[in-house]
């Protein structure tokens, strides 16, 4: 499926007001310009011994990274659940969309420039043009963060975790995304290349709330600093700081 190059636009409000949704909120790059020139080798992410990574930031690599991120999330959470004596059920579907309202969640339309987990259908949906733009502008590591964050909302749902405030739910998901990535790197299931940690930092900077967003607002996800701290805690210390129990 050809996805044209598309610059990131003004971040849309995240759909966190919808009870059934958890979302990542749209990133914007600080300059609005690509962070790396087209054709610069992207970093290989997951170990895929049967696949020859071509090292480019193509649509094919974008889709391969998404599939890797999903497969590794399933592997990671299955292991964690089984270690706790729980049965793990993978997220049912990963659904790309291109237009406002093309995909709905519990009767609410999903909007462009976003990604969300929908508990009503147990799927993760993402604006494919937006996600591909972020992939090209921020880097492939952002796709692993994005998938890791949305997958974390599915895990929260499975564990019946419902925090009082949206921001708590979101920062916990960032912590869990950090644990997922950090633990996979430590287990050598995921290999970070030069620049990937910088890409993650840039991605977290981009998805921080705008200044002035009240922390208690339904759409609040946390400032860039709060989100970075939550992710870093999980990345370096696994799930312990995420307070899942
Ligand atoms: Zn979220």
């Amino acid at each position: 499926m050809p996805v044209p190059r598309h610059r990131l636009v003004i971040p849309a409000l995240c759909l966190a007001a919808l009870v059934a949704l958890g979302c990542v909120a749209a990133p914007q790059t600080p300059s609005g310009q690509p962070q790396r020139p087209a054709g610069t080798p992207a970093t290989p992410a997951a170990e895929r011994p049967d696949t020859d990574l071509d090292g480019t930031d193509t649509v094919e690599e974008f889709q391969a990274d998404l599939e890797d991120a999903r497969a590794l999330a399933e592997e990671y959470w299955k292991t964690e659940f089984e270690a706790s004596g729980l049965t793990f059920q993978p997220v049912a579907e990963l659904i790309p969309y291109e237009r406002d309202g093309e995909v709905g969640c519990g009767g609410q339309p999903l909007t462009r420039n976003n990604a969300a987990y929908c508990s009503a259908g147990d799927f993760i949906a993402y604006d494919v043009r937006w996600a591909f733009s972020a992939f090209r502008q921020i880097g492939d590591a952002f796709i692993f963060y994005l998938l890791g964050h949305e997958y974390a909302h599915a895990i929260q749902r499975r564990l019946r975790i419902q925090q009082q405030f949206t921001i708590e739910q979101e920062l916990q998901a960032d912590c869990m995304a950090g644990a997922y990535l950090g633990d996979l790197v430590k287990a050598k299931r995921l290999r970070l290349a030069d620049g990937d940690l910088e890409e993650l930092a840039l991605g977290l900077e981009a998805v921080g709330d705008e200044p002035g967003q009240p922390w208690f607002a339904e759409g609040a996800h946390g400032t860039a600093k709060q989100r970075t701290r939550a992710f870093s805690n999980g990345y370096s210390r696994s799930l312990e700081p995420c307070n899942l129990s």
Side-chain angles (χ1 to χ4, degrees), residues 100-161:
D100 285 330
E102 184 182 334
V103 175
C105 174
Q108 303 277 1
L110 302 191
T111 54
R112 289 185 56 203
N113 306 314
N114 219 334
Y117 167 71
C118 175
S119 61
D122 192 38
F123 63 81
I124 290 169
Y126 58 97
D127 177 341
V128 64
R129 292 171 190 270
W130 165 80
F132 184 61
S133 294
F135 167 77
R136 294 198 89 165
Q137 294 189 27
I138 298 174
D140 55 359
F142 182 77
I143 295 303
F144 283 80
Y145 162 71
L146 176 73
L147 195 285
H149 177 97
E150 299 308 336
Y151 219 100
H153 285 312
I155 299 300
Q156 288 171 326
R157 178 76 178 183
R158 281 154 173 70
L159 296 176
R160 296 186 172 79
I161 294 172

Side-chain angles (χ1 to χ4, degrees), residues 14 22-24 149-150 153 170 173 221 227:
C14 195
C23 45
V24 72
H149 177 97
E150 299 308 336
H153 285 312
E170 295 301 330
H221 281 61
R227 299 196 76 168

Side-chain angles (χ1 to χ4, degrees), residues 17-61:
L18 307 178
V19 175
L21 287 170
C23 45
V24 72
Q28 54 180 346
T29 50
S31 64
Q33 295 299 316
Q35 297 300 309
R36 68 173 188 230
T40 301
T43 49
E47 297 280 355
R48 286 184 289 149
D50 298 326
T51 308
D52 182 23
L53 292 174
D54 64 5
T56 60
D57 53 359
T58 61
V59 172
E60 289 72 26
E61 192 191 336

